Each structure stands twice: as C-alpha cells, then as structure tokens.
Amino acid sequence: QVQLVESGGGLVQAGGSLRLSCAASGSTFTSYDMGWFRQAPGKEREFVATISWRGGNTYYADSVKGRFTISRDNANNTVYLQMNGLKPEDTAVYYCAAGRYGIMVVTTTLWEYWGQGTQVIVSS
C-alpha cells in the first residue's frame, strides 16, 4: 500500500508558476514510477507527466512540454511538479499517482495508487 498526499495548489494568474508536491508513505517509494494527472470540470482525468522510479526518465503530455517539470526526491519520498507559464486551460484538480507499468503508460486505470488531489486555478 502507498499513501499519497498532494499539496501546493492554489490560485495564480496566467503566466505564473506553482510547485506541486506529493508526499508518499507506506510501501517502498522507489518501487514505483510516479505520475501527475489532472481533471478539469466536466472532463476525464488526463495524463500530465511521469517519472521513472530512479528519476532518470520522464515523459510529458504535449500540452505541458517545455512548461512543466516533474522530479522526485527518493530520500524524502516526494515527487514534484514545477509548473511555469501557467495558462487558464491548466485549471484542474491535479492528482499524484504511483504505478509499476512504466512511465509511458498513461491509462489512468493502470496506475495503482492515487492521492486526493490538489486544486489549481489559473485566472486570465
């Protein structure tokens, strides 16, 4: 079992930045690839970024490539999402997830553990 708790969401103006954190506890953090997903009102949950268990490989959705950066600190069981150049269309609840099928797997049902989400609102 892995417990995930996100933090760092909030209200920001377009062009601004936020850094999301996800603290993991329970099973061995380094056994899992980690990912960030988001869900906007009325839309399905979608892939944002993933990172391999060692942190050496990352994968991004085209919509955030070049603006968002995923990273992890295995010593502190935490994964981060640095979001720069935020746009109103980035408004969503952001979820952290843990899985073991590889970072290229973006199907949400294949990610094993989820946090409760943190709200990000980008005003225009």
Side-chain angles (χ1 to χ4, degrees), residues 45-90:
R45 194 169 298 187
E46 66 175 9
F47 155 72
V48 175
T50 53
I51 188 166
S52 59
W53 66 275
R54 279 187 177 177
N57 295 297
T58 57
Y59 181 48
Y60 295 93
D62 288 343
S63 59
V64 306
K65 200 173 296 182
R67 299 188 297 123
F68 291 10
T69 302
I70 188 171
S71 61
R72 65 190 293 164
D73 179 351
N74 285 344
N76 290 297
N77 290 358
T78 304
V79 62
Y80 303 98
L81 185 68
Q82 177 67 45
M83 305 187 294
N84 299 328
L86 283 161
K87 305 175 181 180
E89 51 263 44
D90 294 318

Side-chain angles (χ1 to χ4, degrees), residues 6 20-22 35-37 47-49 70 79-81 94-96:
E6 302 96 333
L20 305 184
S21 299
C22 172
W36 287 96
F37 295 76
F47 155 72
V48 175
I70 188 171
V79 62
Y80 303 98
L81 185 68
Y94 283 71
Y95 297 90
C96 173

Side-chain angles (χ1 to χ4, degrees), residues 7 18 24 43 45 51 57 61 79 101 104 113:
S7 61
L18 281 175
K43 295 188 176 182
R45 194 169 298 187
I51 188 166
N57 295 297
V79 62
Y101 287 96
M104 304 297 286
Y113 300 103

